[in-house]
Amino acid sequence: LLGAFALFVVPLFSPAAISVNSTRLEQVGITSEPGTDQTINEKRTFCAMQFHRFFCDAAFNKATFFFQELTHRYVSAYSPQFLATKGELTTDFLTVDSFGQFFPILYPLFILGIAGIIFSTKTTLTPVQKWLIFVGLLISPLPTAVVGEPQKVRLSALFPFLVIAITYGAIFVEQLLQKKLFSYLFTAALLIALLGYSFLYQMQYHSLQMIQNEYKYQSYAPGLHQYLGSLPDNVLINIVPFYSDPLMFHAFYTKMDPHEYQKLAVVDGYDGANFRHTVELGNIWAYKHSPEHMSCIGLEKNMPTVYVTKEKFEDLPLLHTQKASNGVHTYVFVYDITKFMKAADCEERSN
């Protein structure tokens, strides 16, 4: 454990890592969230209708707001709802219904594991190993707490410590069950429960989760970007951003060299969540322009122009449609708008 701690945790405190993480924290951390001042002022206003403003200001301020919000997020990371039964409540497509980050049968073992590490006298763990486990359990949820609600990706650092606690919980139960018969029965019951939960999870994931959320999973994206990548470089392509960061997806699915991406990428200003998005990548754009506007830009640049959107237009020449991976629903339409507008029409629009 000490070696793993040095290998995975110590590099996080290097100057380069601190610089990157500080920048990221300033962009998406809890102190950068818009609307905080308005929320506090609203609570103070309602409070002042009942109490003196002094008490309202003491109860509702940034210190108390951040403390309550961080406490809620931190405790939620260990809640049975998040870990065992419901998962990410705010983003349902990330969680299979009635399942958390691991099977519900394992949550009691997680609690028993912590109890066993503290109270068991038969443990093979050294005091240093115990401290490392508890420090890991205490610190690893902090990154997700300062940027938002618990999510499995943000809590990846917590996963090894959960596994250790759950494993030791099973060992602790076997220690409590002194007779070998009871120990064998517990192991068999746990194995049967895990197999049962695995069956239910796989059935729900493949037959419901993937189908019901195919649009959110963007199962159309690989085929779409492979098609767009096959078009000539002299074609101006505009993808209306009806899904997040289409140009990053394009770079991923077409296996674009990262150096080329950095060279070609043009980003826009900060959005409401303090993110900046790539809007141009060479001849591929991602603007919310209308077909008319893009057609005029194509005429101005003297380039064939392609328009990618989720909307169906009857008056535009259709080049390609992209269905979901199951081949049922059509989610994307690709149009050739090179000749959609005339030069005279574009001049009239500009005037």
Side-chain angles (χ1 to χ4, degrees):
L1 282 175
L2 187 60
F5 185 85
L7 181 63
F8 293 106
V9 177
V10 172
L12 298 177
F13 295 95
S14 66
I18 292 175
S19 175
V20 172
N21 291 331
S22 298
T23 302
R24 183 64 172 163
L25 182 63
E26 292 174 359
Q27 292 178 340
V28 298
I30 188 172
T31 56
S32 66
E33 293 180 0
T36 300
D37 292 338
Q38 292 87 332
T39 300
I40 295 173
N41 290 334
E42 180 182 6
K43 291 182 177 181
R44 285 177 173 176
T45 301
F46 280 100
C47 174
M49 298 178 183
Q50 306 295 331
F51 301 101
H52 191 277
R53 185 58 185 259
F54 173 81
F55 298 104
C56 296
D57 291 349
F60 305 108
N61 53 66
K62 286 190 175 181
T64 57
F65 177 85
F66 290 149
F67 175 78
Q68 290 177 315
E69 190 67 20
L70 288 172
T71 302
H72 160 74
R73 295 175 181 180
Y74 185 89
V75 174
S76 295
Y78 285 110
S79 67
Q81 290 83 3
F82 174 73
L83 288 180
T85 59
K86 293 296 183 182
E88 290 91 340
L89 295 176
T90 56
T91 47
D92 55 351
F93 67 95
L94 294 179
T95 301
V96 174
D97 186 33
S98 298
F99 288 93
Q101 311 314 312
F102 46 79
F103 299 146
I105 191 66
L106 298 179
Y107 192 79
L109 295 181
F110 166 63
I111 302 299
L112 289 171
I114 295 177
I117 293 172
I118 297 174
F119 300 110
S120 177
T121 58
K122 299 179 181 180
T123 177
T124 58
L125 297 174
T126 66
V128 174
Q129 291 173 331
K130 288 184 178 181
W131 274 109
L132 286 177
I133 293 172
F134 285 121
V135 169
L137 288 170
L138 288 173
I139 293 178
S140 51
L142 291 177
T144 189
V146 298
V147 297
E149 296 294 329
Q151 289 185 9
K152 62 184 68 178
V153 175
R154 295 172 181 166
L155 284 171
S156 57
L158 177 62
F159 181 74
F161 301 101
L162 293 176
V163 173
I164 292 172
I166 292 171
T167 303
Y168 199 81
I171 296 173
F172 185 50
V173 171
E174 288 189 338
Q175 291 176 352
L176 295 176
L177 301 173
Q178 298 179 358
K179 293 185 178 181
K180 285 188 176 182
L181 176 61
F182 293 154
S183 178
Y184 291 149
L185 289 175
F186 165 73
T187 303
L190 180 61
L191 180 60
I192 293 172
L194 291 176
L195 289 174
Y197 274 117
S198 298
F199 173 75
L200 292 175
Y201 181 90
Q202 294 296 331
M203 291 298 295
Q204 185 148 318
Y205 179 79
H206 290 288
S207 64
L208 297 176
Q209 184 78 7
M210 294 296 294
I211 305 302
Q212 292 176 343
N213 297 286
E214 62 176 4
Y215 181 74
K216 293 179 180 178
Y217 288 144
Q218 300 170 359
S219 62
Y220 53 81
L224 170 65
H225 290 286
Q226 289 168 9
Y227 168 76
L228 297 178
S230 68
L231 297 177
D233 293 338
N234 66 329
V235 176
L236 177 61
I237 303 170
N238 184 70
I239 307 173
V240 178
F242 59 91
Y243 58 101
S244 178
D245 294 298
L247 299 187
M248 290 180 63
F249 277 98
H250 183 80
F252 175 78
Y253 287 118
T254 58
K255 297 180 173 59
M256 179 180 288
D257 184 271
H259 294 289
E260 184 181 2
Y261 182 91
Q262 293 291 337
K263 180 181 178 180
L264 297 176
V266 176
V267 297
D268 60 359
Y270 290 103
D271 61 12
N274 283 335
F275 283 102
R276 300 182 72 182
H277 303 274
T278 304
V279 291
E280 293 185 20
L281 197 62
N283 64 312
I284 304 180
W285 295 2
Y287 290 110
K288 295 181 180 179
H289 294 328
S290 65
E292 293 82 1
H293 186 71
M294 280 306 306
S295 181
C296 290
I297 292 178
L299 286 174
E300 181 181 347
K301 293 180 174 293
N302 194 29
M303 297 176 65
T305 308
V306 168
Y307 192 77
V308 184
T309 179
K310 65 177 180 179
E311 298 183 41
K312 186 175 183 180
F313 295 99
E314 299 294 342
D315 55 341
L316 295 179
L318 184 63
L319 278 180
H320 177 78
T321 59
Q322 190 63 52
K323 295 181 179 293
S325 59
N326 58 23
V328 176
H329 298 104
T330 300
Y331 286 118
V332 188
F333 301 89
V334 182
Y335 300 99
D336 180 3
I337 58 172
T338 304
K339 300 180 180 179
F340 181 58
M341 295 291 286
K342 304 295 183 183
D345 299 327
C346 294
E347 292 178 4
E348 184 178 347
R349 284 172 57 86
S350 62
N351 295 330

